[in-house]
Amino acid sequence: MVEAGRSPNIEILSNTDLLSLTGKPGNFKAELQIRPRYIDADKCTACGLCTTYCPRHLADSFNEGLDLTRPIHIDYPQAVPASYFIDPDACLYLQHDTCQICVPVCRANAIDFSQQPRNISLDIGAVVMAPGFGRVPEEALTQYGYGQHPDIVTSIEFERLLNPAGPFEGEVRCLSDKRHPKKIAFIQCVGSRDLGCGNGYCSSVCCMYAIKEAMVAKEHDPECEITIYYMDIRTQGKDFDAARIKAEEHYGIKFVRARVADVIPWKKNLKLTYATMDGVHRFDAHDMVVLSVGLDSPTGARELADITGVELDKYDFCKTDFFEPLASSREGVYAIGAFQGPKDIPESVTQSSAAAGISAGLIKGQRGQGIVVKKYPKEKPFKAKDEPRIGVFVCHCGINIAGVVDVQKVDDYTKDMEGVVYHAQSLYSCSQDAQKVIKEMIQLHDLNRVVIAACSPRTHEPLFQETLKDAGLNRSLFEMVNIRDHCSWVHANEPDKATDKSMDLVRMGIAKARHIQPLPEQTVPVTDKAIVIGGGIAGMTAALNLAEQGFQTTIIEKNDKLGGHLLDQRYTLSGEDMAGYLKKVTDLVAENRKVDVLTNSELAGLSGFVGNFSSVVRTGKGKKTGEQTIDHGVIVIATGGREHAPVTVLGKKVPQSDKFITQRELEIRLAGQGKNRAPKSVVMIQCAGSRGDDLAYCSKTCCTQAVKNSLKIKEINPASQVIVLYRDMRTYGFAEDAYREAREKGVIFIPYSMDKKPGLSARGSKAEVSFHDPILQDNVTINPDLVALSVGTVPEDTAELSKLLKVPVNADGFYLEAHVKLRPVEMPVAGVYLCGLAHSPKPLDEIIVQAQAAAAKAAIPLVKGKVSVDPIVSSIDKDKCIGCRLCATLCPYQAIEMVKVDKKPKAETVVASCKACGICAAHCPTFAISMGGFTNEQITSQIEAFGEALEEA
């Protein structure tokens, strides 16, 4: 948010309503009304003095009414813009023409009760709607006693209780008497999968956020007993199942498959009444009950639809096309996030990038117009002989850090250290107002180095470095000490030791800071072309989006035709023609002059760096094989995946019989013309090779595919008997409607556990399936005409390509993105992007969006025409270099080349290729190589500073 708030090309209009939208794509006009804040945001310093004098209290809506605030307030410290506002419905002056005590109190003269609503018009080319999600109906909550007892809370309220900025600064307390709960129950599917409140869909995120909240609560109080009551655990995302297993095995969280009927106050506790799969009714007492509420359509969805002229679906989410998942019914208007449908954070972030890329293609004719190039103040001159003037800022971060670490003690510890001329605590160092303070202190105290003790540099270092640049300092004159991950989180139960360790780390950071030097900023030009590795639907979509934005793109496909796994799919869950869609896309690729296609081709070699890659592509087969070199600026990986071919299913070998087929083979059969293509009886086995059987993960699409094929069977032959044996039916999102329809049409769904796995065998020409029915409490054996195995998805050829591109893969063989939430389609190697099944198993609509997002991210350096290179790279002292070539041989990024100096070979760093891994410096026999920001002198100073603690002990 801070980055968005200080970008010169992003105008934030908070407190603003859309009144109308007219025009057409590329030429819209939006009429807006800006409601008064009654505080001048430019003058407000966010000191908070006004709110301390305001005489009136009201429930804090940001904290879900669990705390009190004042009519004049700011929702949370990191809010953007970082200025207070006045609630007109609660202010005594605005409601009753009295008070105004805040006016003389404000030293900045920022309070202005004369402000009036004002209307403005914007000329825009595209519209992206992201109003978020709404609240589930009240009746979904009251059936579980919500409102009858204070210790029955929603998951959103519980999230605020866990939050460091929440009412109890992150401590979980019962609202009834403020005691710490020792037994907590989570009830899933509250307000979703519930026709009683009109929400028949699955909200997709509730199971995962309940697990997350449960684990955080256990970290706060390891003795707390937590039970999650569920119908199906839907942890279908990438690595989500691993989190569920960790919650169960590491944290001791209990999972009970049951439907809770009632929650009743019982003495000081809450008694749950529930029934398990065996039909037994049970009762259990808990101190607190958390209702895992679903995601409803956003408040005001109908009004927004009327204004923008878009259609809504039956649940009041924005209606979009399956093959164009972000496009609303009005051209040029796109829906993302929870307005497009319930979804988690990574998918929402992916959709936002995709919408930005689509919009950029729509208005590419105006590219560059109105762009503000940010200008930084002239960098202060730095002389190595100047005395270090270090500023130290220790972040409080609520309970995240200060709940364990004694921040005051750490701050006081720094005051007499060599070189430290200023030190202070900061409530939230990453907030907009804190960044402003850091900038002011740099200028006021003439600081030439800054140390910030806060959280992870992986996510926050660029933010602080930008602040240094705004203050006129070289961004490398900065050292970040991670006292959150390395201290408060890992030593949560040892506050004294966590504080001591924080002081050690800060002392080491300051010691290093005394020796840090400014590093030069470098930029390199960009070749404005792209390659896409993989010609499936992800690769073709990414290529078309890049072409739409004006960039020449080459698709490299190893097979003899485009299409990938989509060649084997015939229809979608909602009945759309897959073959027709595939033909449309391949025709668009063939017709687009900016897209080149190389089939029967593969990447044979790669050199260069972001903006300046050079790829060797091997084309053809046998004697007709040839090679060509392509220069390009970016790479999109879309190598896809394929259906898994398990040797064993549920612990036993797959019977060798034509009665056992996969869901893909069944789909092809059902799409044919044969009279008997729909079997009279079929048993479908879910997780046949997935989730710990053969593959460790959930393949996300198998349950939906089983429902899709079940409905097709019933459509062809309503008399067919279809039985689906499953562990958890993961028909998340709107696929829940199809799951319900399948049950209504007679498809029988029977759960199984890994303790009582189904047995598969072939006896002569017959298939035999035996399983335990938890409802009948009996073992059943049947002989279906066909057994369909849901076998999951595996990545295609990631092992070799990952070595060639120097990009990581996870334990399951899928490519590992740079950050699951912040950078879901970017790879750790700059200039390389990721989409489709190469990232993880996912359905077609999500593949399309991810491909659009990857194209949008890949287009950024192409549009800019240049890229900045991180200054933390290796540098080589040619006087010390003996030309042994060891560094050039070991460098995994080919970032070192040999040059001749006075006819002698010397090593030289290609700075744009260097990833600062340090392998070269670690192996140089003459210590001729040093790493920017990690010189021998700096590291030695840290080691010596650490040793000071040992001497004191």
Side-chain angles (χ1 to χ4, degrees):
M1 288 190 297
V2 174
E3 291 181 32
R6 66 185 178 188
S7 170
N9 294 301
I10 298 176
E11 182 181 14
I12 298 176
L13 299 176
S14 59
N15 230 31
T16 301
D17 300 312
L18 176 65
L19 300 179
S20 67
L21 181 69
T22 56
K24 60 182 181 180
N27 189 24
F28 286 114
K29 183 178 286 293
E31 299 292 336
L32 309 173
Q33 184 177 81
I34 303 176
R35 288 177 270 114
R37 299 176 70 92
Y38 302 106
I39 291 180
D40 188 329
D42 293 329
K43 292 181 179 179
C44 180
T45 62
C47 68
L49 191 62
C50 55
T51 196
T52 62
Y53 281 85
C54 183
R56 191 170 184 187
H57 290 84
L58 73 154
D60 185 355
S61 59
F62 182 79
N63 274 314
E64 294 294 299
L66 302 177
D67 203 0
L68 293 176
T69 187
R70 312 279 180 135
I72 183 169
H73 67 280
I74 190 169
D75 282 332
Y76 55 99
Q78 301 102 319
V80 175
S83 68
Y84 282 64
F85 69 96
I86 296 174
D87 184 345
D89 295 328
C91 176
L92 289 172
Y93 175 73
L94 293 171
Q95 288 294 315
H96 306 289
D97 199 25
T98 185
C99 189
Q100 280 197 322
I101 194 172
C102 55
V103 176
V105 167
C106 180
R107 297 173 181 174
N109 297 317
I111 298 174
D112 182 4
F113 283 110
S114 68
Q115 287 184 356
Q116 297 294 321
R118 60 188 181 94
N119 292 359
I120 63 171
S121 296
L122 293 180
D123 294 322
I124 50 181
V127 178
V128 178
M129 300 183 294
F133 62 88
R135 297 178 181 273
V136 300
E138 193 70 20
E139 58 265 28
L141 306 176
T142 54
Q143 65 175 313
Y144 295 108
Y146 182 79
Q148 299 176 21
H149 195 284
D151 295 334
I152 303 173
V153 300
T154 68
S155 49
I156 300 176
E157 291 169 346
F158 193 69
E159 182 82 25
R160 295 310 305 159
L161 291 176
L162 292 170
N163 196 281
F168 304 132
E169 294 187 326
E171 283 192 74
V172 179
R173 294 181 178 273
C174 292
L175 300 180
S176 58
D177 56 7
K178 304 300 184 290
R179 74 186 188 279
H180 291 281
K182 293 302 178 184
K183 287 190 71 176
I184 301 175
F186 282 80
I187 300 176
Q188 300 307 107
C189 300
V190 177
S192 58
R193 302 183 71 183
D194 184 358
L195 293 177
C197 68
N199 290 352
Y201 57 88
C202 164
S203 289
S204 304
V205 302
C206 317
C207 289
M208 196 61 207
Y209 77 56
I211 290 171
K212 179 206 72 173
E213 290 181 355
M215 289 195 292
V216 173
K218 285 285 283 188
E219 287 173 351
H220 285 240
D221 183 2
E223 302 302 317
C224 182
E225 294 181 30
I226 300 180
T227 306
I228 297 177
Y229 296 89
Y230 70 97
M231 293 192 291
D232 295 283
I233 285 293
R234 291 183 170 174
T235 49
Q236 68 276 349
K238 186 178 184 180
D239 293 330
F240 285 7
D241 253 338
R244 179 196 60 80
I245 294 169
K246 181 180 179 181
E248 193 169 17
E249 296 181 354
H250 179 72
Y251 287 90
I253 295 166
K254 299 176 184 176
F255 291 84
V256 176
R257 190 175 216 139
R259 189 62 172 163
V260 177
D262 205 356
V263 180
I264 303 170
W266 184 61
K267 298 180 181 178
K268 288 185 66 175
N269 301 113
L270 298 161
K271 185 165 67 174
L272 270 65
T273 305
Y274 61 95
T276 51
M277 291 295 297
D278 55 8
V280 177
H281 289 266
R282 290 179 168 83
F283 307 92
D284 204 354
H286 296 270
D287 297 324
M288 178 178 276
V289 172
V290 181
L291 307 180
S292 293
V293 295
L295 307 185
D296 211 336
S297 58
T299 304
R302 290 182 182 273
E303 291 80 1
L304 181 60
D306 290 340
I307 292 169
T308 57
V310 303
E311 295 180 29
L312 302 180
D313 65 16
K314 64 180 180 180
Y315 295 121
D316 283 349
F317 293 94
C318 186
K319 187 176 182 180
T320 59
D321 185 84
F322 183 83
F323 296 128
E324 295 184 75
L326 306 184
S328 74
S329 57
R330 184 174 182 180
E331 189 180 357
V333 180
Y334 307 99
I336 63 172
F339 187 38
Q340 193 263 346
K343 58 183 55 65
D344 58 16
I345 293 173
E347 193 180 347
S348 296
V349 173
T350 299
Q351 286 196 344
S352 67
S353 295
I358 297 170
S359 300
L362 184 66
I363 59 175
K364 66 178 181 292
Q366 289 80 42
R367 179 176 290 157
Q369 298 179 21
I371 296 297
V372 177
V373 178
K374 184 173 182 179
K375 294 183 179 179
Y376 297 96
K378 186 178 180 181
E379 193 171 291
K380 294 179 182 179
F382 184 95
K383 297 179 181 178
K385 63 181 181 180
D386 288 347
E387 287 294 320
R389 296 185 60 82
I390 303 171
V392 182
F393 300 85
V394 184
C395 186
H396 189 276
C397 203
I399 200 171
N400 237 345
I401 294 176
V404 178
V405 175
D406 187 338
V407 172
Q408 181 66 57
K409 186 175 181 181
V410 176
D411 179 39
D412 292 340
Y413 180 66
T414 67
K415 64 183 179 182
D416 295 323
M417 289 189 180
E418 181 186 347
V420 176
V421 298
Y422 178 80
H423 63 94
Q425 293 183 54
S426 178
L427 182 58
Y428 292 97
S429 296
C430 59
S431 65
Q432 193 175 43
D433 59 325
Q435 297 295 297
K436 184 179 178 182
V437 169
I438 292 172
K439 179 181 174 181
E440 290 172 350
M441 293 303 104
I442 290 172
Q443 295 167 340
L444 180 64
H445 296 278
D446 193 25
L447 304 180
N448 55 21
R449 293 165 178 85
V450 173
V451 175
I452 293 181
C455 52
S456 172
R458 182 186 178 199
T459 54
H460 286 69
E461 186 175 55
L463 176 71
F464 296 118
Q465 289 179 330
E466 182 75 5
T467 300
L468 262 67
K469 291 176 69 175
D470 284 339
L473 282 185
N474 183 282
R475 67 171 171 143
S476 298
L477 296 171
F478 169 76
E479 178 67 17
M480 193 165 182
V481 179
N482 189 350
I483 61 172
R484 183 193 67 177
D485 301 39
H486 295 167
C487 299
S488 67
W489 279 7
V490 294
H491 305 296
N493 300 319
E494 301 174 292
D496 291 339
K497 292 183 178 179
T499 301
D500 291 342
K501 184 177 179 181
S502 297
M503 292 191 293
D504 287 341
L505 292 178
V506 170
R507 184 177 67 255
M508 293 165 67
I510 293 171
K512 180 184 177 184
R514 288 195 288 268
H515 299 283
I516 56 179
Q517 301 289 319
L519 299 174
E521 297 281 340
Q522 301 184 63
T523 60
V524 294
V526 170
T527 302
D528 61 348
K529 295 180 181 179
I531 65 166
V532 176
I533 306 175
I537 196 62
M540 289 190 289
T541 300
L544 286 171
N545 273 261
L546 283 164
E548 181 64 24
Q549 295 188 61
F551 302 110
Q552 195 71 35
T553 305
T554 301
I555 297 176
I556 302 171
E557 169 56 45
K558 70 174 184 178
N559 295 314
D560 57 2
K561 60 181 177 180
L562 302 175
H565 81 287
L566 214 63
L567 292 167
D568 293 327
Q569 295 190 30
R570 299 295 184 267
Y571 47 84
T572 69
L573 185 62
S574 47
E576 291 93 348
D577 176 25
M578 204 78 83
Y581 172 68
L582 181 58
K583 184 179 185 306
K584 175 184 175 182
V585 176
T586 50
D587 287 347
L588 287 172
V589 168
E591 295 165 2
N592 198 307
R593 294 182 179 181
K594 286 192 173 294
V595 179
D596 300 318
V597 178
L598 299 176
T599 54
N600 291 319
S601 302
E602 60 183 356
L603 190 68
L606 178 72
S607 61
F609 45 86
V610 56
N612 293 269
F613 290 112
S614 184
S615 292
V616 177
V617 180
R618 185 180 298 118
T619 304
K621 294 180 179 179
K623 295 181 179 180
K624 296 182 178 180
T625 300
E627 289 186 349
Q628 61 178 292
T629 300
I630 302 174
D631 294 328
H632 53 98
V634 293
I635 303 168
V636 177
I637 302 175
T639 49
R642 55 182 168 77
E643 187 179 64
H644 181 44
V647 177
T648 61
V649 166
L650 300 176
K652 295 183 180 179
K653 284 189 176 182
V654 179
Q656 297 298 312
S657 169
D658 59 5
K659 299 292 185 182
F660 292 84
I661 64 174
T662 66
Q663 291 285 2
R664 177 184 62 84
E665 293 167 336
L666 176 59
E667 180 175 335
I668 294 171
R669 171 174 168 170
L670 294 173
Q673 299 297 320
K675 292 183 179 179
N676 299 319
R677 64 186 187 278
K680 293 181 180 178
S681 64
V682 59
V683 173
M684 297 182 179
I685 311 291
Q686 300 307 103
C687 300
S690 299
R691 295 181 63 192
D693 178 26
D694 195 8
L695 307 177
Y697 52 89
C698 166
S699 289
K700 199 172 186 178
T701 61
C702 314
C703 290
T704 301
Q705 190 178 29
V707 169
K708 177 179 73 173
N709 286 341
S710 296
L711 287 171
K712 196 69 173 180
I713 292 171
K714 286 293 186 178
E715 176 189 325
I716 299 168
N717 183 7
S720 290
Q721 181 192 59
V722 182
I723 298 175
V724 180
L725 303 179
Y726 69 95
R727 289 173 66 184
D728 295 284
M729 282 305 296
R730 294 182 169 176
T731 47
Y732 62 97
F734 299 130
E736 181 69 17
D737 289 339
Y739 177 34
R740 184 172 56 256
E741 181 187 353
R743 299 198 305 273
E744 291 170 351
K745 289 187 174 180
V747 178
I748 301 170
F749 293 86
I750 300 174
Y752 71 87
S753 68
M754 295 303 283
D755 294 333
K756 297 179 179 179
K757 299 181 240 183
L760 309 178
S761 61
R763 297 183 180 277
S765 62
K766 292 184 178 181
E768 184 174 283
V769 180
S770 57
F771 58 91
H772 178 79
D773 190 319
I775 304 296
L776 298 176
Q777 284 294 294
D778 200 1
N779 295 322
V780 179
T781 300
I782 58 175
N783 300 104
D785 293 336
L786 202 64
V787 178
L789 304 176
S790 295
V791 294
T793 302
V794 293
E796 191 80 62
D797 299 333
T798 58
E800 290 302 316
L801 193 58
S802 67
K803 295 175 184 176
L804 188 61
L805 298 177
K806 305 298 186 295
V807 293
V809 295
N810 67 8
D812 301 317
F814 294 99
Y815 290 108
L816 189 63
E817 63 273 36
H819 192 284
V820 65
K821 289 184 173 69
L822 302 180
R823 300 169 64 192
V825 296
E826 298 172 67
M827 299 297 292
V829 174
V832 184
Y833 306 89
L834 171 67
C835 61
L837 298 182
H839 169 271
S840 64
K842 57 181 66 66
L844 177 60
D845 56 336
E846 294 179 26
I847 289 174
I848 293 170
V849 170
Q850 197 174 46
Q852 292 169 336
K857 286 291 186 179
I860 293 174
L862 303 183
V863 170
K864 288 182 175 179
K866 60 182 180 180
V867 291
S868 297
V869 179
D870 279 337
I872 307 175
V873 295
S874 65
S875 62
I876 302 172
D877 185 339
K878 289 187 173 61
D879 291 335
K880 292 182 179 180
C881 177
I882 59 174
C884 68
R885 292 182 171 83
L886 181 61
C887 56
T889 303
L890 292 174
C891 179
Y893 302 100
Q894 291 83 51
I896 295 179
E897 60 185 11
M898 301 306 296
V899 297
K900 287 289 183 70
V901 177
D902 296 330
K903 298 183 180 181
K904 294 180 181 179
K906 299 287 184 179
E908 186 173 87
T909 301
V910 182
V911 293
S913 295
C914 181
K915 304 303 175 188
C917 66
I919 291 175
C920 56
H923 287 82
C924 180
T926 60
F927 301 101
I929 303 176
S930 63
M931 304 303 300
F934 298 93
T935 64
N936 290 340
E937 185 182 32
Q938 292 164 6
I939 293 172
T940 301
S941 68
Q942 286 184 290
I943 295 171
E944 291 173 348
F946 176 71
E948 291 174 15
L950 300 178
E951 291 174 7
E952 292 174 3

